[in-house]
Amino acid sequence: MHRQNFSGSASDWNDLVAQFPSPHFLQTDEWGKIKSAYGWSVRRYVWGEKQGSPWAAAQVLEREIRLPVLPVKFRVQYIPRGPLVKDWSNFAGYQQVLQDLISSAREREVISLKIDPEVPMSFGE
């Protein structure tokens, strides 16, 4: 499983989000547009095999924060109600997703990455 940057249209992204077991409005293109109006940039990633449907996806919101008294800027990232994962019981799969998100944040010199997935407490019987 490998991560790819999502390059489809807004409706393609929304269709993809709708395929997951617990899709959420905060992972839709519309939410990304709202946040963009307030200084956030949007990145979208998809995980899966080259063929077949994606196994995970994440809309990552990123913002630069500047301190007025210091010539320093900080980057923060937030994944509201994500990442979206098809099967949370697949430990190796979601560990790969989380590791990729951490690696990407480090590459971009992000000081804080907040994730907020809706993970089921149990799968019941």
Side-chain angles (χ1 to χ4, degrees):
M1 180 171 51
H2 64 285
R3 183 193 79 189
Q4 297 177 317
N5 292 327
F6 182 80
S7 59
S9 69
S11 64
D12 291 341
W13 176 257
N14 287 343
D15 290 345
L16 175 77
V17 167
Q19 293 177 18
F20 286 88
S22 298
H24 199 280
F25 173 76
L26 298 180
Q27 281 291 304
T28 64
D29 177 72
E30 289 79 7
W31 187 250
K33 286 178 182 169
I34 289 168
K35 295 305 281 184
S36 291
Y38 292 94
W40 293 84
S41 62
V42 177
R43 298 179 184 290
R44 295 182 178 133
Y45 302 116
V46 178
W47 287 263
E49 304 302 327
K50 290 186 179 185
Q51 304 298 325
S53 65
W55 191 83
Q59 175 168 260
V60 180
L61 305 175
E62 182 176 293
R63 185 171 191 165
E64 271 190 10
I65 299 170
R66 296 174 189 241
L67 298 178
V69 295
L70 298 172
V72 179
K73 60 184 173 184
F74 301 100
R75 282 192 184 110
V76 295
Q77 288 183 342
Y78 178 39
I79 306 171
R81 291 296 183 226
L84 301 171
V85 175
K86 286 210 173 158
D87 181 9
W88 284 102
S89 67
N90 179 341
F91 180 77
Y94 78 75
Q95 284 295 103
Q96 180 66 53
V97 170
L98 296 177
Q99 189 56 49
D100 287 348
L101 290 169
I102 291 167
S103 295
S104 175
R106 284 185 178 146
E107 288 169 11
R108 298 200 42 78
E109 299 178 342
V110 169
I111 64 163
S112 175
L113 169 63
K114 179 180 178 183
I115 65 170
D116 188 20
E118 287 195 337
V119 180
M121 294 292 289
S122 67
F123 293 96
E125 295 186 53

